[in-house]
Amino acid sequence: MNPARVVAFDLSFNRTGVALPDGELRSITTRETGYRRIPDIARQALELVAAYRPDLVALEGYAYNVRHRLAAIRGAELGGFVRVQLELRRVPWLEVPPAELKAFATGKGTASKDEMLEAAHAAGADAANHDEADAWHLRN
């Protein structure tokens, strides 16, 4: 039996980390401003989903205990938009809560962004940033 083809996204309003089934890591960014960022980031993510035709899309869940409330709200709006688009396309997806992802990656549910990046590098990932590292852990 072949392993599942998984595309993973660490969705963010500023830079979305992506892990593809072939092992490639990349970041999605946009030059759009304000709320025009949401459909542009979602479009790029959904183009990858269409190109790779994964068995499953893994998404990092929402962070509820954040200091920057506006960032949390924008992240939730982007996450909701992408989730709806996946549903409309009948693409299976799952959400991994941040604390569970951190515990899986580092053994500590409160790991910092730097600890997540270090864990990805230690496991052989060529992650260029925290977002790509989170996506890499999600895919695995």
Side-chain angles (χ1 to χ4, degrees):
M1 185 168 158
N2 292 331
R5 291 176 47 80
V6 177
V7 171
F9 295 106
D10 176 24
L11 295 169
S12 171
F13 198 72
N14 293 318
R15 181 180 60 214
T16 289
V18 182
L20 298 169
D22 61 7
E24 180 184 351
L25 300 176
R26 66 170 73 168
S27 296
I28 294 175
T29 59
T30 181
R31 291 185 175 164
E32 295 292 342
T33 59
Y35 280 97
R36 291 187 178 158
R37 298 177 72 83
I38 291 172
D40 192 44
I41 293 166
R43 177 191 54 78
Q44 292 180 65
L46 293 165
E47 285 174 356
L48 290 169
V49 169
Y52 281 88
R53 299 179 53 157
D55 301 312
L56 180 70
V57 171
L59 304 172
E60 184 169 10
Y62 298 115
Y64 297 105
N65 297 324
V66 294
R67 287 194 284 205
H68 305 287
R69 298 225 188 272
L70 182 57
I73 291 167
R74 287 183 172 160
E77 290 168 335
L78 171 61
F81 189 90
V82 169
R83 286 164 175 80
V84 167
Q85 295 303 312
L86 291 170
E87 284 290 326
L88 291 173
R89 289 165 174 77
R90 292 189 166 90
V91 175
W93 60 275
L94 71 82
E95 180 177 308
V96 179
E100 287 182 27
L101 180 63
K102 291 175 181 186
F104 168 78
T106 69
K108 184 171 83 173
T110 58
S112 69
K113 290 180 179 289
D114 287 339
E115 289 171 318
M116 292 291 284
L117 182 59
E118 290 170 14
H121 286 159
D126 189 24
N129 54 58
H130 302 115
D131 305 297
E132 290 180 11
D134 285 358
W136 185 85
H137 290 300
L138 278 166
R139 190 194 64 225
N140 293 321

